């Protein structure tokens, strides 16, 4: 079950754990190419002397001097690497994030394999034993094939016995008790108006295609046809005849099309007013007379006091209408298919291949499925991610890395405070409230202060599907137990082994998992420019999310309240509108001039990139002032300002298959990585100065076109 209320905003699209980490090559500095342009400004000093820096920190041989940095900065930094690093067959994209994720995955593989081999002898009930048994059961292909679809047969039989809408409502309620919800999503979250407390949220869900447009737009007809074929084959794998499967598949598409019409578009999903709709249980029952929320909460063992968030009223009205009017055969087809679809990754090869053929090959353009060990590790992460993270941290994360990261966080936060205080477009009244929010930021670095307790979760070594479902129920019960209790700001929403970072508006925390605190983002041996252009900009990015178009609607306590004057908000919107227009103009897919970036969908991330890079640059300058003896020195021919921007671009190196790129444009609130490499720098005069760019160069926006927000 995926909770959909106010998702924490992450640095990048979730990195599916994939492929190989290639270390930067080493070469003699005498063979390094000259920079595109030497800065005439003195180079800020580094906290590490240039002579101490190994070439692996930033391999300048990867730069392409045939490309002018002022015309195509992403190409200058990344084109050679992209040409030399094709996307592996089991991936839809490949880049810096993916390389680092692969390194994390390989470590996790070793940990899980070791746990599996020692599971029988491990301490009973230990996380090592549970992870070992879970991984072992997932790798037991023979047992999984032998079981066929018997693990889900009781659910399919229950669906076959449904006779009317009342039965469907009872079935959905009972499914949730088992941690296997259908149609909508349900879980705990901070109350938008009292963020120190957790309440229940019910949110729209239930669609198998990426967005509502895929159900109605003529250009997606082929994908709809492929989806129907996938549904039909899934049903046939559980015994349906070809003719019956085709009829049921058509029913499923028709059913989902009705849900889609009442669902939000991706841009609408980002608006807080569409994420929270507080109602009493009595009012909710009146809104959905065919689905009893009172009965639902009682079954879940949840006590709702004043009410909960029935977050998207239009969707739930349609859901209720379908309970009353949709033929029972259509409900059965829908529930039957989604039961199979949800379970497919934990069943035999036929089910897995069928799901991959549609979601992997057809929708995203991925030629080959990931090897089994990676798929099983994905299930381990989904089921016991923090527990695996506990083993990962013990193996990989050193205390000195956390201490250095904390220093960088403090420096970047201080730079953000200074920028807010010095804004020329914001009134003192709003500034004071922005600083008050800044004061309450809570940075979390590496891993939780207190690890989660996994006692009560029973895992065996011989039943993969049962193990995954036991974990699903355990995690669901853990989540809904928070309802009615105080919000725990110290809790993490990402595992330590995740290569990402995030900001959560409702607890005002910025979070940096251990796995991202590595090169190219962070290197304890690197000069300041590399670290501030990497993890420093990441820190600035997450902190800036507190002041993006969505985060700026929440105060320091995490409440969805307006802390702006009307005039200041209008000025903010005028500036962000310019950023929307900039990204709307980007056409990132060659030979597809109609495929534009959605500037509104990606606005929050683009604000965070721009603010984060500016803040990190300021923090670098402050660090350089502390080391005047290093001023003017260059490293391999590049100044600290240049290396700062070079590492920013390196972080976003990568490429993506066309189908996946199109899917991202429709669904991803992040702009394509190649554009993130150039978008923020093109709005910064200091970039043009660093590389001696001239007016008219592609990377130099005229003063009136440069966007300056934070």
């Amino acid at each position: 079950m995926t909770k959909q209320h106010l998702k924490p905003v992450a640095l990048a699209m979730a990195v599916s754990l994939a492929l190989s980490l290639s270390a930067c090559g080493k070469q003699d500095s005498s063979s390094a190419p000259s920079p595109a342009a030497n800065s005439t400004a003195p180079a800020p000093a580094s906290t590490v002397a240039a002579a101490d820096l190994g070439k692996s920190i930033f391999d300048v041989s990867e730069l392409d001097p045939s490309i002018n940095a002022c015309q195509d900065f992403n190409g200058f930094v990344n084109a050679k690497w992209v040409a030399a690093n094709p996307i592996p067959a089991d991936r839809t994209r490949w880049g810096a994030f993916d390389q680092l994720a692969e390194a994390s995955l390989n470590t996790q593989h070793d940990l899980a394999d070791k746990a599996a081999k020692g599971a029988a002898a491990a301490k009973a009930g230990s996380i090592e034993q549970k992870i070992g048994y879970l991984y072992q059961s997932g790798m037991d292909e023979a047992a999984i094939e032998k079981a066929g679809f018997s693990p889900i047969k009781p659910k399919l039989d229950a669906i076959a016995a449904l006779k009317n809408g009342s039965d469907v409502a009872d079935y959905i309620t009972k499914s949730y008790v088992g941690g296997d919800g259908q149609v909508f999503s349900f879980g705990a979250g901070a109350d938008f108006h009292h963020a120190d407390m957790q309440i229940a949220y019910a949110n729209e869900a239930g669609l198998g295609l990426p967005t509502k447009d895929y159900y109605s737009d003529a250009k997606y007809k082929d994908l709809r046809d492929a989806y129907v074929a996938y549904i039909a084959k899934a049903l046939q794998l559980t015994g349906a005849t070809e003719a019956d499967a085709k009829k049921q598949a058509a029913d499923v598409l028709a059913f989902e099309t009705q849900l889609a019409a009442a669902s939000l578009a991706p841009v609408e999903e980002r608006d807080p007013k569409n994420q929270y709709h507080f109602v009493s249980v009595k009012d909710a029952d009146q809104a959905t007379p065919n689905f009893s929320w009172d009965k639902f909460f009682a079954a879940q063992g949840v006590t709702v006091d004043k009410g909960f968030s029935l977050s998207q009223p239009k969707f739930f009205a349609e859901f209720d209408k379908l309970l009353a009017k949709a033929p029972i055969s259509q409900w059965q087809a829908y529930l039957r298919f989604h039961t199979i679809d949800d379970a497919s990754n934990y069943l035999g090869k036929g089910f897995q291949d069928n799901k991959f053929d549609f979601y992997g090959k057809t929708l995203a353009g991925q030629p080959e499925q990931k090897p089994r060990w990676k798929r099983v590790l994905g299930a381990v992460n989904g089921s016991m991610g923090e527990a695996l993270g506990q083993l990962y941290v013990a193996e990989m994360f050193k205390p000195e890395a956390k201490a250095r990261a904390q220093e960088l966080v403090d420096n970047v936060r201080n730079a953000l405070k200074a920028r807010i205080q010095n804004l020329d477009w914001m009134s003192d009244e709003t500034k004071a409230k922005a600083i008050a929010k800044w004061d309450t930021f809570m940075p979390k670095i590496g891993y939780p202060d207190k690890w989660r307790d996994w006692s009560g979760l029973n895992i065996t070594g011989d039943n993969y599907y049962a193990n995954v479902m036991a974990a699903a129920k355990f995690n669901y019960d853990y989540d809904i137990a928070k309802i009615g209790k105080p919000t725990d700001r110290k809790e993490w929403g990402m595992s330590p082994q995740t290569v990402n970072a995030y900001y959560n508006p409702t607890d005002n925390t910025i979070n940096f998992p251990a796995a991202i605190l590595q090169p190219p983002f962070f290197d304890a041996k690197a000069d300041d420019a590399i670290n501030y252009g990497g993890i420093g900009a990441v820190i600035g990015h997450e902190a800036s999310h507190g002041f993006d178009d969505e985060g700026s609607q929440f105060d320091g306590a995490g409440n969805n309240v307006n802390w702006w004057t009307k005039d200041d908000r209008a000025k903010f919107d005028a500036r962000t509108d310019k950023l929307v227009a900039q990204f709307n103009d980007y056409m990132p897919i060659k030979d597809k001039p109609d495929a534009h970036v959605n500037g509104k969908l990606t606005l929050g991330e683009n604000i965070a990139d721009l603010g984060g890079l500016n803040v990190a640059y300021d923090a670098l300058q402050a660090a350089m002032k502390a080391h005047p003896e290093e001023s003017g020195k260059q490293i391999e021919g590049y100044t600290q300002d240049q290396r700062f921007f070079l590492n920013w671009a390196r972080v976003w190196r990568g490429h993506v298959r066309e189908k996946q790129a199109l899917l991202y444009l429709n669904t991803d609130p992040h702009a394509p990585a190649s554009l993130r490499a150039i978008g923020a720098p093109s709005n910064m005069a200091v970039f043009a100065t660093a590389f001696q760019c001239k007016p008219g160069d592609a990377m130099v926006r005229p003063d009136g076109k440069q966007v300056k927000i934070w």
Side-chain angles (χ1 to χ4, degrees), residues 28-44:
D28 189 279
S29 61
S30 62
S31 63
S34 299
N38 289 321
S39 173
T40 56

Side-chain angles (χ1 to χ4, degrees), residues 545-564:
H545 268 310
F547 305 98
D548 70 14
D549 62 312
E550 185 175 23
S552 63
Q553 298 183 58
F554 293 80
D555 66 12
N559 295 314
N560 180 208
V561 297
N562 179 35
W563 47 270
W564 296 69

Side-chain angles (χ1 to χ4, degrees), residues 177-246:
V177 173
D180 185 26
Q182 297 287 351
V183 188
F184 57 88
S185 71
F186 179 76
D191 188 333
F192 273 25
H193 292 165
H194 303 281
D196 58 337
M197 294 297 295
Q198 296 280 299
I199 62 168
Y201 280 79
N203 292 275
E204 65 180 36
L207 304 181
L209 291 174
T211 73
K212 63 183 301 178
D213 287 349
Y214 282 77
Y215 290 90
S216 56
D217 197 313
K219 66 183 176 183
Y220 299 123
K221 182 184 182 304
D222 289 347
L223 281 175
R224 288 194 291 274
D225 290 345
Y227 182 50
V228 168
Y230 161 61
I231 296 169
K233 186 170 182 180
L235 294 165
Q236 285 181 269
L237 288 169
T238 59
T241 65
E242 181 178 358
D244 186 38
K246 286 182 177 180

Side-chain angles (χ1 to χ4, degrees), residues 482-669:
K482 301 171 191 173
I483 295 170
K485 295 179 180 177
T487 296
D488 181 4
R489 295 183 75 203
K490 293 185 177 180
E491 186 175 34
W492 281 68
M494 273 184 186
S495 66
Q497 64 272 29
T498 302
V499 183
N500 217 328
Y502 71 97
Y503 169 76
N504 189 345
T506 56
D507 65 18
N508 204 27
T509 60
I510 49 177
N511 306 264
F512 309 99
I516 201 171
L517 298 173
Q518 301 179 65
F521 296 94
F522 172 74
D523 188 335
K525 296 180 294 183
D527 52 305
D528 277 343
I530 295 299
N531 281 329
Y532 280 103
I535 196 64
V538 170
I539 295 164
H541 174 102
E542 300 309 336
S544 295
H545 268 310
F547 305 98
D548 70 14
D549 62 312
E550 185 175 23
S552 63
Q553 298 183 58
F554 293 80
D555 66 12
N559 295 314
N560 180 208
V561 297
N562 179 35
W563 47 270
W564 296 69
T565 67
K566 184 177 180 181
D567 185 57
D568 285 336
R569 191 76 208 189
K571 291 176 181 177
F572 176 81
D573 290 343
R575 289 166 184 266
T576 61
D577 284 348
K578 289 174 65 176
L579 197 59
V580 169
Q582 278 188 12
F583 277 82
N584 280 342
D585 284 343
Y586 283 126
M587 298 170 286
I589 303 176
K590 186 179 179 180
D591 301 325
K592 288 196 175 294
D594 293 334
H596 286 251
V597 174
N598 186 330
K600 287 291 288 183
L601 178 60
T602 60
L603 179 58
E605 298 300 327
N606 298 332
I607 293 172
D609 278 354
L610 181 58
L613 195 61
N614 272 288
V615 167
Y617 180 82
D618 288 355
L620 172 63
Q621 303 314 304
M624 294 300 94
K625 287 180 181 179
H627 298 273
E629 72 282 0
E630 296 291 325
S631 180
K633 285 190 177 179
Q634 296 185 356
I635 298 173
E636 297 184 305
Y638 291 89
T639 69
Q640 287 279 285
D641 277 20
Q642 289 171 333
R643 286 170 67 81
F644 171 84
F645 287 110
L646 291 173
N647 201 39
W648 166 258
R650 178 173 66 159
V651 162
W652 299 111
R653 70 171 30 156
H655 47 148
V656 60
R657 300 187 190 280
E658 185 176 290
K659 285 185 176 181
Q660 182 67 81
L662 288 167
L663 186 59
Y664 281 157
L665 289 180
N666 293 332
T667 62
D668 188 3

Side-chain angles (χ1 to χ4, degrees), residues 293-308:
W293 292 100
D294 185 58
K295 188 175 180 180
F296 177 83
F297 289 132
Q300 312 310 309
V302 170
T303 299
V304 173
D305 185 13
K306 295 180 180 179
F308 71 107

